[in-house]
Amino acid sequence: MWKDRNQEAVIEGTREELGGPGSWGLEDAGPLARASLPIVFPWPLPLGSSALTVLLGALTSLFLWYCYRLGSQDMQALGAGSQAGGVNGGPEVCSQMGPRGSGDLGEGPRAEGLVSRRLRAYARRYSWAGMGRVRRAAHGGSGLAGGTGLLGIQRPGLLFLPDLPSSPFVPRDAQKHDVELLQSSFPAILRDFGAVSWDFSGTTPPPRGWSQSLAPGCYQLLLYQAGRCQPSNCRRCPGAYRALRGLRSFMSANTFGNAGFSVLLPGARLEGRCGPTNARVRCHLGLKIPPGCELVVGGEPQCWAEGHCLLVDDSFLHTVAHNGSPEDGPRVVFIVDLWHPNVAGAERQALDFVFAPDP
C-alpha cells in the first residue's frame, strides 16, 4: 500500500510540473498532436482581415464585370454586319454592285476593323488551330480588304486569305463531285429556267422573282441570296433546288454564297470587277450560250459551253460581255458559289460563323 501511494504521488507531481491536470497545450502535446487539432480563428475577424476580405470581393466583382463587358463586345462585333451593311448580291451582281464588289461591309479601315474583330472574337471563343491563313488575315497586312495578289489583278473587296493557291480559272477536278452533279442536273435546271423565263425585253417590269442589276441588260433570279434561301423561287425551280441540296461545297450558310440564274442580253457588257473574297470559286453551268459571248478573268479569255461547268475565281479582275446580235438571244448560265478547294474545314467553319447570314 505504501508503494501504491508513492506511485500516485509521483504521477501527481509530474502533472503539476507539466501545467496541472488537463492543462496540456499545443507546445506540450508535440507535433503529432498539433496536426490533429483543428485551427479555429477568432471571431469576429480583426480589422485587418476584414479589410482584406472586402478587397478580395471588390477584385472579384471587377473581374466578373470585365468578363461580361468583353463578351458583350464580342457579340456586338459578331453581329455588327447588319448595321454596317451585309454581304449581299446575286450570282453576277456580287461582283458588279460597286467599285469594290458586293460583299463590302463598308469602306476602307471601317470594313477591315469589323472583319478583324469578328475573326478575333471567334478565335477567343474557340481556337486558331488549323486556321493559319485566317489568323494572318485577321491580323491585317495584305490579308484583309483589298489585299494585292498577282500583278494587282486579284483584289478581293473584303477578305483575302494569304497563301491560298490562286488562278483565274480552277480545274473542274478540284470540285469533281459538285461539277458532275450540276452537269448531270443540266436537263432539270434548263427545264426550270424555261418555266420561269420571260421575254427579257425590258419594256415591262420583270416578273416575280426576277431582278435587274445595275448593269443594263443583265437579269437574275436567285434561289439563294447572301446565304439565305429564297423559298418562293426554290419552289418554282425544284430541279435546281434539288441539285443545290446535293452539293458538298456550296456556301449555303455564308453571306458569300449565292445561287441562281444569270441572264445577259445581246449588247450588254459588265465591266471589270473583283469579287469580295478569294475563299470561294463561282461555278458557271452553261444553259444557253449563243455566239459572241466572252468571259475574261485575270486577262485570260474563256467561254461557256452548254451543259458544262466553268470554275472561276472572281476575286480576279473579270469582264463579261455578250457581243452577239439580237437574233442570237440571251446568254443564260446557272451560277453557284462554292468553297475554294484549298480552304480547310476549320477555316470554313470560322468564316461561316463570322459571315453567317442575318437571321
Side-chain angles (χ1 to χ4, degrees):
M1 180 177 296
W2 179 84
K3 184 183 295 184
D4 294 339
R5 290 179 180 176
N6 195 19
Q7 290 178 349
E8 290 177 1
V10 172
I11 293 173
E12 290 294 335
T14 305
R15 288 179 179 176
E16 291 177 359
E17 291 177 0
L18 293 176
S23 63
W24 289 6
L26 291 176
E27 294 80 4
D28 304 317
L32 186 60
R34 294 176 208 166
S36 62
L37 293 176
I39 299 176
V40 180
F41 292 102
W43 187 260
L45 293 175
L47 181 60
S49 300
S50 300
L52 181 61
T53 303
V54 172
L55 178 61
L56 290 176
L59 291 176
T60 303
S61 300
L62 286 174
F63 175 74
L64 294 176
W65 176 84
Y66 172 76
C67 293
Y68 170 77
R69 292 288 298 171
L70 186 63
S72 300
Q73 292 173 0
D74 291 348
M75 294 306 298
Q76 291 172 3
L78 291 172
S82 58
Q83 287 84 11
V87 183
N88 46 36
E92 272 183 338
V93 179
C94 255
S95 54
Q96 287 113 26
M97 285 296 287
R100 292 173 58 86
S102 172
D104 291 339
L105 297 176
E107 294 292 336
R110 181 185 180 188
E112 298 180 20
L114 176 61
V115 176
S116 178
R117 287 197 303 272
R118 288 180 177 181
L119 291 172
R120 294 181 185 183
Y122 175 86
R124 281 195 293 268
R125 284 172 167 266
Y126 300 99
S127 170
W128 285 117
M131 298 192 299
R133 285 186 290 251
V134 175
R135 184 172 189 174
R136 289 194 293 276
H139 286 80
S142 64
L144 210 57
T148 302
L150 303 174
L151 303 177
I153 60 176
Q154 187 184 22
R155 299 191 300 271
L158 181 61
L159 177 69
F160 180 81
L161 295 184
D163 302 328
L164 190 66
S166 299
S167 61
F169 295 96
V170 179
R172 283 190 286 264
D173 288 343
Q175 296 287 9
K176 185 176 181 180
H177 173 272
D178 291 352
V179 166
E180 291 180 349
L181 178 58
L182 287 170
Q183 292 182 164
S184 64
S185 303
F186 167 73
I189 297 175
L190 185 60
R191 284 195 302 270
D192 288 344
F193 173 75
V196 298
S197 64
W198 54 301
D199 60 1
F200 301 105
S201 62
T203 58
T204 59
R208 179 172 57 94
W210 286 94
S211 60
Q212 185 175 12
S213 71
L214 297 180
C218 179
Y219 297 89
Q220 61 183 3
L221 184 142
L222 302 178
L223 278 67
Y224 277 80
Q225 182 176 13
R228 293 189 297 266
C229 178
Q230 308 299 307
S232 60
N233 293 342
C234 289
R235 284 192 294 268
R236 299 167 64 194
C237 304
Y241 178 70
R242 190 178 304 112
L244 291 176
R245 297 294 293 176
L247 299 178
R248 295 177 179 174
S249 300
F250 177 36
M251 303 177 79
S252 59
N254 193 299
T255 51
F256 292 136
N258 306 275
F261 298 99
S262 173
V263 176
L264 195 66
L265 300 184
R269 181 180 182 85
L270 302 174
E271 296 296 338
R273 294 288 187 271
C274 292
T277 179
N278 66 330
R280 76 178 184 190
V281 295
R282 315 207 88 169
C283 182
H284 292 213
L285 174 64
L287 300 180
K288 293 184 177 183
I289 311 299
C293 296
E294 186 179 44
L295 171 65
V296 180
V297 183
E300 299 182 18
Q302 277 283 3
C303 188
W304 303 271
E306 295 181 359
H308 295 276
C309 289
L310 192 64
L311 297 182
V312 180
D313 185 345
D314 74 326
S315 64
F316 285 85
L317 188 69
H318 59 280
T319 303
V320 183
H322 186 345
N323 301 318
S325 63
E327 294 76 17
D328 294 329
R331 181 233 60 177
V332 183
V333 294
F334 185 71
I335 301 182
V336 184
D337 288 329
L338 306 176
W339 284 104
H340 191 288
N342 293 101
V343 176
E347 295 172 324
R348 295 184 184 186
Q349 292 178 7
L351 296 179
D352 274 344
F353 184 88
V354 172
F355 296 102
D358 294 333

